[in-house]
Amino acid sequence: AMTSDAQRLAYVMQDNAHTIMIQDKNGTVDSVEEEGNITYMKWLGKSNTLLYMVEKRKGQEMRLLQMAHDEPVVVYEWSSKKEKVEDVFFSPYLEFFYV
């Protein structure tokens, strides 16, 4: 997933689907380890916030990861046992996102 201004790129490696790699335009790479596989990632507008999903045995967890600090910080998380996220839409006008 790439930010709309092409300043950051978030990805997982095929053989390591439980670690998010975040690279900025200067080539600096940060990583975030998870206890499950990352199944979805999307940058929310120009907020420097990454929404991502972690698939676990108990269900799915969704997290907001903010990059406005020296290192990535999870600012919000919630879980779901029955629902499965298929897409996310971020409204730049209202600063809401719809799952």
Side-chain angles (χ1 to χ4, degrees):
M2 184 178 292
T3 58
S4 60
D5 61 0
Q7 298 296 308
R8 287 194 170 86
L9 176 68
Y11 58 92
V12 294
M13 304 298 280
Q14 185 174 1
D15 60 341
N16 189 13
H18 64 273
T19 302
I20 297 175
M21 309 298 288
I22 301 168
Q23 183 174 347
D24 67 13
K25 67 178 184 173
N26 299 322
T28 304
V29 177
D30 289 307
S31 63
V32 176
E33 296 277 332
E34 289 293 344
E35 293 182 13
N37 288 332
I38 311 300
T39 59
Y40 184 88
M41 291 185 292
K42 186 168 189 171
W43 290 98
L44 301 178
K46 296 181 181 179
S47 65
N48 284 323
T49 302
L50 180 70
L51 172 69
Y52 67 95
M53 286 27 154
V54 181
E55 193 77 31
K56 294 187 172 189
R57 290 182 193 154
K58 299 177 187 177
Q60 181 171 258
E61 293 183 2
M62 297 170 268
R63 296 200 171 99
L64 288 175
L65 181 75
Q66 198 168 60
M67 296 298 299
H69 309 282
D70 291 339
E71 58 187 44
V73 175
V74 175
V75 293
Y76 192 76
E77 60 185 87
W78 63 101
S79 62
S80 173
K81 294 181 181 180
K82 296 180 182 178
E83 293 82 11
K84 184 168 179 147
V85 174
E86 292 185 15
D87 198 8
V88 175
F89 172 74
F90 179 71
S91 171
Y93 306 108
L94 302 174
E95 295 188 8
F96 287 106
F97 62 94
Y98 304 92
V99 180

